[in-house]
Every structure is written in C-alpha cells, then in structure tokens.
Amino acid sequence: MAKLTQDELLAQFEEMTLIELSEFVKAFEDKFDVTAAAAVAVAGPAVGGPAAEAVEEQDEFDVILTGAGDKKIQVIKVVRELTSLGLKEAKDLVDGAPKPVLEKVAKEAAEKAAESLKGAGASVEVK
C-alpha cells in the first residue's frame, strides 16, 4: 500500500461530510487510544486593576436545533442549505435533535441561520 502524503490526506478529508469526518475522528481515537481535544492552558488569576476584570465578549456561537416542529421536511431543507450535509445526514441531524447545526460561527451568521430555521418551523437555540 502506497503511503499518502499530507496533501493527499487533506484532499481526502476535504471531500468528506462533517458527519463522515466526525466518525473518522472517533475511529482514529479508538484505534490509537488518543483524544483529539485541544489542549487547554490553565492560567492563574490575573493581577491588576480594571483591565483584568474586563469580560471578553463572545465571538463564536453555536446554532443548536432543539426541535423540528411540524414542518420537518422544510427544516431538513434549511439544514442542507446551511451545511454541506447530504439528505440522509441532514435528516438524521433533524431526527436526533437537540443537535448542533453550526458550530463556532460569527454572531451574524448564527442569527441568520437561527432565523432561517425558525422560519421553517424549527426550535433553535444560539449559544
């Protein structure tokens, strides 16, 4: 079996849907007994005045589908428009609600996606 280069591997991953890629990551973690979670640096309390007390504004949001509502087919169509999921993957996502539709997107994109889903009859939560 020929060894794939990093660029060839990335090209293969680029063709995968998000669900396929997620399943691959799970299989990789199981096979090699590793975790793909990002390392988190632990910092001690900051010493200082008001600047240390400033609260950082959230700039990444998740759009979570909490329910499909009565117009499930319309919701599936909107999910497909918002993501690169195929019909089956979008249906599975809608059937498995509550599930994230979009993760770590800008506030404007999250609000627009939430409005589209609500317009189709879905229940949505933005975190």
Side-chain angles (χ1 to χ4, degrees):
M1 180 175 188
K3 185 176 178 181
L4 296 175
T5 66
Q6 186 175 2
D7 290 335
E8 291 170 330
L9 282 171
L10 288 173
Q12 289 296 315
F13 291 136
E14 196 172 57
E15 295 175 9
M16 297 175 112
T17 65
L18 291 175
I19 291 177
E20 291 171 334
L21 191 56
S22 173
E23 290 171 353
F24 170 78
V25 169
K26 287 178 189 172
F28 187 90
E29 289 174 341
D30 291 343
K31 172 85 174 168
F32 296 104
D33 194 29
V34 295
T35 303
V40 177
V42 177
V47 179
E53 296 176 13
V55 177
E56 187 176 321
E57 186 175 331
Q58 183 177 358
D59 60 350
E60 292 181 338
F61 296 85
D62 295 341
V63 179
I64 301 176
L65 178 71
T66 56
D70 294 336
K71 301 177 184 175
K72 186 172 159 184
I73 294 172
Q74 292 302 104
V75 174
I76 292 170
K77 287 180 182 179
V78 172
V79 168
R80 289 191 67 204
E81 290 172 9
L82 295 172
T83 65
S84 61
L85 297 177
L87 181 60
K88 182 179 182 331
E89 290 88 1
K91 181 183 179 301
D92 291 344
L93 188 145
V94 171
D95 287 341
K99 291 232 176 174
V101 177
L102 297 174
E103 295 178 311
K104 297 183 181 177
V105 296
K107 184 176 183 177
E108 297 80 26
E111 289 173 352
K112 186 176 178 181
E115 288 303 315
S116 296
L117 287 164
K118 287 177 183 175
S123 302
V124 181
E125 185 176 303
V126 177
K127 289 187 178 179

